[in-house]
Amino acid sequence: MEAGEENSDQKAKVLINRFKNKFRGITFTRHELRAHEAKGKASNVSWCAEHMPPTFEKLMIPKEDVMIAVFDADSWAPSLFFEEIDQYLQKNPENKHKICFGGPQIYTRNNLDVTFIVRVSDMMHSYIHMANIPPIFFSFPLSNYSVSYVLMEKIGFWDTCADAVAEDFHTGQKIYWKTGGDCILAPIYVPFNQLSLKVDGGFCKNFAAKFWQAERHTEGIEDVSYNLKMLFNKPFRFKNIIMTYFVFETFTLPALIPWCMFFI
């Protein structure tokens, strides 16, 4: 919970009382924004992970056995996702602390209730992400993913500054660069069902809301400079060039394709 949110403690207690019988243990943290941090999912998640050890001790769980699951609040997480993770780790325990599990996204919960611009945009977002899940050597988690606590501790948890806008996308890159490329993505072909953006007020207000959401996403272009910096500061590897190209492509294609289609 965010310390700056009014009545966040009460909200957490309501959730705990509602779901306490479904978990071995459930608790919450209150994220107090630090001087270097930007508001957002990355700083919230990192604060929570950094303050997990007392809970591990209380529940007598070795940190080496902990997998962190990060989801968007509007995501429907399928149980099969967790079953697939469990099966993979049983078969490949040696990969536990160098792996990131990710799955595709679909937007069918309210897709008929939103404007066609929002619907088509989310459909294309979903298709592009699905197309990039089968990795050459690594792919990028989006919104919903699972990674070991030990791995995140090793790389210094999440980046929480304003330059790391895309918490999920940037974290995938950080895992790659901080491990020297010794990491893998295990794609799990089970979709998370999420909500499309919808606001009250009709077509124009929904169009504007989608525009500003897209504008915020484009701020992640700073990851291009992050990758270029890492590319020139790390020992040469062909995989490093491919990683940098993937990130560059992610921000270049959405800007070029509409214009190319227009002139063609």
Side-chain angles (χ1 to χ4, degrees):
M1 310 303 291
E2 293 185 348
E5 180 185 354
E6 187 177 354
N7 299 322
S8 61
D9 289 5
Q10 287 76 7
K11 182 187 293 185
K13 291 175 182 177
V14 170
L15 292 171
I16 289 174
N17 288 330
R18 182 177 177 182
F19 296 105
K20 62 183 179 182
N21 295 326
K22 298 183 180 294
F23 297 92
R24 177 177 171 181
I26 182 170
T27 186
F28 74 97
T29 60
R30 296 179 75 251
H31 173 213
E32 299 176 1
L33 201 66
R34 293 170 282 196
H36 65 281
E37 291 183 335
K39 292 182 179 180
K41 185 179 173 183
S43 56
N44 289 341
V45 171
S46 192
W47 174 278
C48 181
E50 292 172 48
H51 290 78
M52 277 184 175
T55 301
F56 300 161
E57 296 176 6
K58 180 180 178 181
L59 298 176
M60 296 183 289
I61 301 175
K63 68 179 183 180
E64 291 78 14
D65 293 341
V66 175
M67 296 294 296
I68 299 175
V70 182
F71 304 140
D72 279 0
D74 66 329
S75 296
W76 279 357
S79 59
L80 187 57
F81 180 81
F82 303 99
E83 295 172 11
E84 289 292 323
I85 290 177
D86 185 55
Q87 291 180 18
Y88 180 93
L89 293 178
Q90 289 184 31
K91 296 177 181 178
N92 307 276
E94 70 281 359
N95 293 336
K96 184 174 185 178
H97 300 311
K98 62 178 182 179
I99 194 167
C100 181
F101 297 95
Q105 305 166 344
I106 57 175
Y107 298 85
T108 62
R109 291 167 57 189
N110 68 336
N111 64 315
L112 298 180
D113 299 327
V114 300
T115 65
F116 73 93
I117 291 179
V118 175
R119 180 163 59 251
V120 172
S121 174
D122 287 342
M123 288 172 58
M124 295 304 297
H125 173 87
S126 176
Y127 297 158
I128 292 172
H129 185 212
M130 289 182 190
N132 282 276
I133 285 180
I136 298 176
F137 60 89
F138 193 74
S139 186
F140 304 103
L142 289 181
S143 298
N144 311 290
Y145 56 97
S146 183
V147 64
S148 81
Y149 177 86
V150 169
L151 175 56
M152 294 311 299
E153 183 182 46
K154 177 182 177 181
I155 68 171
F157 297 102
W158 285 258
D159 285 340
T160 60
C161 60
D163 293 337
V165 174
E167 156 267 335
D168 42 14
F169 186 65
H170 179 80
T171 298
Q173 299 164 52
K174 185 177 182 180
I175 290 173
Y176 174 83
W177 291 111
K178 295 295 184 180
T179 60
D182 186 23
C183 58
I184 54 178
L185 173 77
I188 297 180
Y189 300 101
V190 181
F192 287 79
N193 205 341
Q194 300 184 221
L195 291 171
S196 293
L197 178 64
K198 182 185 179 186
V199 299
D200 295 329
F203 177 86
C204 291
K205 287 192 175 181
N206 277 272
F207 179 84
K210 188 63 179 179
F211 173 84
W212 290 115
Q213 182 190 54
E215 189 272 344
R216 180 174 59 83
H217 289 167
T218 61
E219 293 177 11
I221 197 171
E222 292 170 344
D223 280 331
V224 174
S225 58
Y226 172 77
N227 278 264
L228 288 173
K229 176 183 177 181
M230 291 296 182
L231 177 64
F232 291 115
N233 284 279
K234 298 288 185 180
F236 175 80
R237 300 175 68 196
F238 183 71
K239 288 171 62 175
N240 293 351
I241 298 177
I242 299 298
M243 167 60 76
T244 305
Y245 169 77
F246 281 164
V247 175
F248 181 78
E249 178 188 56
T250 298
F251 292 100
T252 302
L253 290 182
L256 294 181
I257 286 179
W259 294 104
C260 293
M261 292 175 64
F262 176 79
F263 285 111
I264 291 174

